[in-house]
Amino acid sequence: MFVTALELTDFRNYAEAHLALTSGVTVFVGANGQGKTNLVEAIEYLSTASSHRVSSIVPLIRAGCESALVRARVRAGRDDDREILLELEIAQGRQNQARLNRAPLPRPRDLVGMLRTVVFSPVDLAIVRGDPADRRRWIDSLIVTRWPRMAGVKQDYDKVLKQRNALLKAMSGRCATKGAGDDEFSLGIWDEQLAGVGAELLHARLDTLADVRPFAQRAYERIAPVNNRIDARYVSGVDLDGVADAADVRAALQDRLLGQLRSLRAEELRRGVTLAGPHRDDVELMIGELPAKGYASHGESWSLALALRLGGFELVRDDGTEPVLVLDDVFAELDASRRERLADAIRGAEQVLITAAVGADVPEFPAERRFRVEAGSVALEEA
Ligand SMILES: Nc1ncnc2c1ncn2[C@@H]1O[C@H](COP(=O)(O)OP(=O)(O)OP(=O)(O)O)[C@@H](O)[C@H]1O
Ligand SMILES: [Mg+2]
């Protein structure tokens, strides 16, 4: 699929922008702080109903304005001219309003998956160098790109976790006798819920990590000329030994998670938090024989983060969907050989949106289009 038109109203530093896009490679060039990332962020926001840059919506609305509107026309494919119109209205103090072909959708997250994107941006360095939470965000974003309904599962998990933690906290601060029976009963219910939704998330992560691994390995080999063996392994507080061979993997994961919660019960009641589940897991990344975190060089960490995103992109394509590939500020960080190698790797994509402060950093693609971005306005450069 690819975006054929993008319209912004009061989004970030754009008062009004109308952009006609095509399949193939599009490059947005402009000095720092002009609005290149804001443009691709708008596309990411429509695709996922979230931004990797902010958790609150306030910065998305142009300063001094009440609301922002992002609208995109998306075409199904080069050989498939069906189109949909996606809209998201972002307003302070109320839930975002999503529309599909001008018809309102009940929830913003109903928009998720209509437009599939894989975004690589400089903050992705955190996948390699950051905390387990950064790696969990990476694998979860890929899960949602593959299976949009997992966005709901993820939200449900977070909700259940929050409620269970609140109960544990209340119980940990209370003397054991008064109302203890009721609390125990409620906790038992939350255990079941957490294990149920948690197992679904865990299952999706395990499958996705196993599936993306060979694609990421290939992507890394393509980008990095030497020392180019990488690996990724899921690390869980729940014992996963042999679970992949179970007749019903999800049921087996649920049992294991439930067992783990029960064995941690006393400790959880003492500390007032949930100590097992996908929210505490990690993905261990290796380059050669060494862990990437704490060992890899800057260029290696960068290339690994990029390979994980590109691997995800190839996996989604392999699943049968052509996502839009967004590469924000990637080329400036790479040496000349890695730039050419990356350019080679993305040539076949249906739509690639690239941003760069310096145009010369981006190798020229056949039939590419370049836009100049300046102070919240975008203009096509004459070829
Ligand atoms: N809500 C907002 N209202 C007005 N301006 C905003 C808002 N949010 C961000 N900006 C402005 O947008 C600019 C940043 O845009 P963006 O991040 O797209 O830059 P960029 O072109 O990608 O730059 P770089 O090359 O440094 O990555 C900043 O000047 C910032 O002040
Ligand atoms: Mg930027």
Side-chain angles (χ1 to χ4, degrees):
M1 64 180 66
F2 57 96
V3 178
T4 60
L6 178 67
E7 280 179 43
L8 308 178
T9 307
D10 295 330
F11 181 83
R12 292 281 194 184
N13 66 334
Y14 291 91
E16 196 71 54
H18 293 250
L19 221 54
L21 297 170
T22 55
S23 66
V25 176
T26 301
V27 187
F28 298 98
V29 181
N32 295 143
Q34 300 303 303
K36 305 179 299 292
T37 300
N38 293 346
L39 270 185
V40 291
E41 182 187 33
I43 290 178
E44 181 191 15
Y45 202 69
L46 268 184
S47 158
T48 61
S50 69
S51 162
H52 71 272
R53 293 166 102 194
V54 286
S55 46
S56 122
I57 60 160
V58 176
L60 301 176
I61 303 169
R62 194 160 73 97
C65 299
E66 301 273 291
S67 65
L69 181 69
V70 183
R71 178 184 287 148
R73 197 169 279 287
V74 179
R75 181 173 152 148
R78 280 186 180 129
D79 316 317
D80 185 346
D81 62 4
R82 283 174 302 167
E83 286 200 327
I84 49 173
L85 183 69
L86 307 179
E87 285 171 289
L88 204 49
E89 202 180 311
I90 307 157
Q92 298 204 28
R94 67 167 162 82
Q95 185 175 264
N96 289 351
Q97 293 286 305
R99 283 187 291 272
L100 172 63
N101 297 328
R102 311 227 177 246
L105 295 171
R107 299 162 306 181
R109 82 163 192 241
D110 296 323
L111 213 56
V112 175
M114 307 270 178
L115 167 61
R116 311 276 186 110
T117 55
V118 172
V119 180
F120 178 80
S121 78
V123 298
D124 285 341
L125 197 55
I127 302 171
V128 179
R129 298 209 153 162
D131 300 329
D134 295 297
R135 286 175 286 283
R136 291 194 297 265
R137 259 193 294 278
W138 162 67
I139 191 80
D140 288 343
S141 71
L142 180 54
I143 288 170
V144 172
T145 309
R146 293 185 88 183
W147 305 304
R149 63 162 215 92
M150 288 303 296
V153 173
K154 181 80 197 4
Q155 273 185 7
D156 290 347
Y157 184 78
D158 293 342
K159 236 183 271 168
V160 171
L161 178 64
K162 211 168 146 189
Q163 308 245 36
R164 189 173 184 275
N165 279 342
L167 178 60
L168 281 171
K169 192 146 191 251
M171 289 172 80
S172 72
R174 207 175 287 158
C175 70
T177 48
K178 205 161 161 249
D182 287 353
D183 283 348
E184 288 288 332
F185 180 75
S186 303
L187 190 57
I189 292 174
W190 286 120
D191 285 357
E192 297 280 345
Q193 297 251 350
L194 192 92
V197 195
E200 195 171 357
L201 183 58
L202 198 50
H203 193 190
R205 281 191 190 165
L206 293 171
D207 274 357
T208 295
L209 192 65
D211 293 345
V212 77
R213 199 168 147 265
F215 288 103
Q217 285 172 331
R218 229 168 296 147
Y220 194 80
E221 279 168 25
R222 282 184 89 166
I223 300 163
V226 290
N227 185 25
N228 58 14
R229 303 286 318 150
I230 61 154
D231 214 345
R233 191 177 67 87
Y234 196 80
V235 183
S236 180
V238 180
D239 176 19
L240 299 175
D241 230 22
V243 85
D245 305 323
D248 184 341
V249 176
R250 188 161 135 209
L253 287 169
Q254 188 169 339
D255 282 349
R256 300 266 179 114
L257 187 46
L258 204 53
Q260 185 75 352
L261 290 173
R262 295 208 170 122
S263 74
L264 288 167
R265 170 76 31 116
E267 177 76 6
E268 285 193 330
L269 283 171
R270 207 166 51 75
R271 294 180 40 190
V273 285
T274 301
L275 293 173
H279 66 289
R280 295 181 68 94
D281 293 349
D282 196 357
V283 177
E284 185 185 46
L285 300 169
M286 306 283 290
I287 301 180
E289 301 297 313
L290 296 173
K293 186 172 173 167
Y295 288 84
S297 76
H298 177 73
E300 282 175 329
S301 304
W302 187 270
S303 303
L304 175 53
L306 180 57
L308 294 171
R309 288 291 186 199
L310 286 178
F313 173 72
E314 291 299 339
L315 172 61
V316 177
R317 289 180 89 187
D318 193 65
D319 286 345
T321 309
E322 283 284 342
V324 175
L325 180 62
V326 174
L327 300 176
D328 186 18
D329 254 344
V330 172
F331 284 92
E333 288 282 340
L334 300 173
D335 63 34
S337 127
R338 286 182 193 222
R339 279 179 194 170
E340 286 302 330
R341 286 164 158 268
L342 173 60
D344 256 358
I346 62 178
R347 234 177 270 281
E350 199 156 73
Q351 185 172 52
V352 191
L353 306 175
I354 296 170
T355 74
V358 179
D361 288 347
V362 184
E364 278 200 26
F365 294 84
E368 64 164 31
R369 298 200 320 151
R370 291 207 177 204
F371 285 91
R372 179 144 290 278
V373 181
E374 217 174 326
S377 77
V378 194
L380 187 62
E381 285 190 340
E382 298 303 324

